[in-house]
């Protein structure tokens, strides 16, 4: 499904996904670019400290790659941006856990340190929060696009107004008009049951 940005609820969610993906992506691209500019060894397990975080050539490259993906998702927006936020956020959480285990070994090829692990967890949680906003949480409002997609029979309009209400009001108005006509001596429209019970219908 695609978000319909002509609807207020869809447009609000689209902005949230774009902002979350865009800001996080820019931070990652900036961090990765700073590491690439000092020409760090690709898989140096010690790394160099950049902006309070340890990094090497591989981590700098991955930061630019994931940051560019998030910026691209922010440009495209919609459900794609939400999905990318959740996916990349999950990857950051897994990366933090795995590199925490490998941090004191020779397999620490991304030169992770404790601040890197904390940063990875924080970025992962932020991205997942942005990506899941208004999509996977419970008690979604009636005008939520994902609720409309999952429950198409609920018949809600753009602002969460029941689409059956205008029809009901029209039927009520027609009934009131018929009653008013009857009160002035003009017979109103008969229902199907009334027509069946009339003598003319029985003779026919």
């Amino acid at each position: 499904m695609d978000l319909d940005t002509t609807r207020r609820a869809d447009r609000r969610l689209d902005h949230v996904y774009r902002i979350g993906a865009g800001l996080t992506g820019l931070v990652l691209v900036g961090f990765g670019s700073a590491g690439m500019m000092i020409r760090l060894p690709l898989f140096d397990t010690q790394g160099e400290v950049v902006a309070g975080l340890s990094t090497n050539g591989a981590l700098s490259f991955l930061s630019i790659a994931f940051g560019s993906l998030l910026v691209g998702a922010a440009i495209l927006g919609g459900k794609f941006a939400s999905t990318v936020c959740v996916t990349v956020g999950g990857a950051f959480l897994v990366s933090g856990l795995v590199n925490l285990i490998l941090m004191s070994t020779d397999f620490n090829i991304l030169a992770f340190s404790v601040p890197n692990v904390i940063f990875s967890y924080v970025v992962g949680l932020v991205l997942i929060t942005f990506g899941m906003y208004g999509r996977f949480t419970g008690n979604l409002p009636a005008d939520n696009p994902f609720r409309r997609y999952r429950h198409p029979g609920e018949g809600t309009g753009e602002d969460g107004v029941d689409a059956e209400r205008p029809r009901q009001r029209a039927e009520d108005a027609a009934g009131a008009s018929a009653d008013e006509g009857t009160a002035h001596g003009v017979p109103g429209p008969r229902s199907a049951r009334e027509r069946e019970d009339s003598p003319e219908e029985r003779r026919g």
Side-chain angles (χ1 to χ4, degrees), residues 5-6 17 53 84 91-92 94 100 118 136 148-149 151 158 163 165 182-183 187 196:
T5 53
T6 60
Y17 302 148
L53 301 175
V84 170
F92 266 79
V94 172
L100 177 63
I118 296 174
F136 299 109
R148 294 198 310 266
Y149 179 76
H151 306 284
E158 176 178 351
R165 291 180 183 175
T182 303
E196 291 175 359

Side-chain angles (χ1 to χ4, degrees), residues 33-41 48-50 55 60:
S33 299
M36 295 293 284
M37 285 191 298
I38 58 179
R39 301 180 180 277
L40 296 171
E48 294 289 339
V49 177
V50 174
T55 186
S60 298

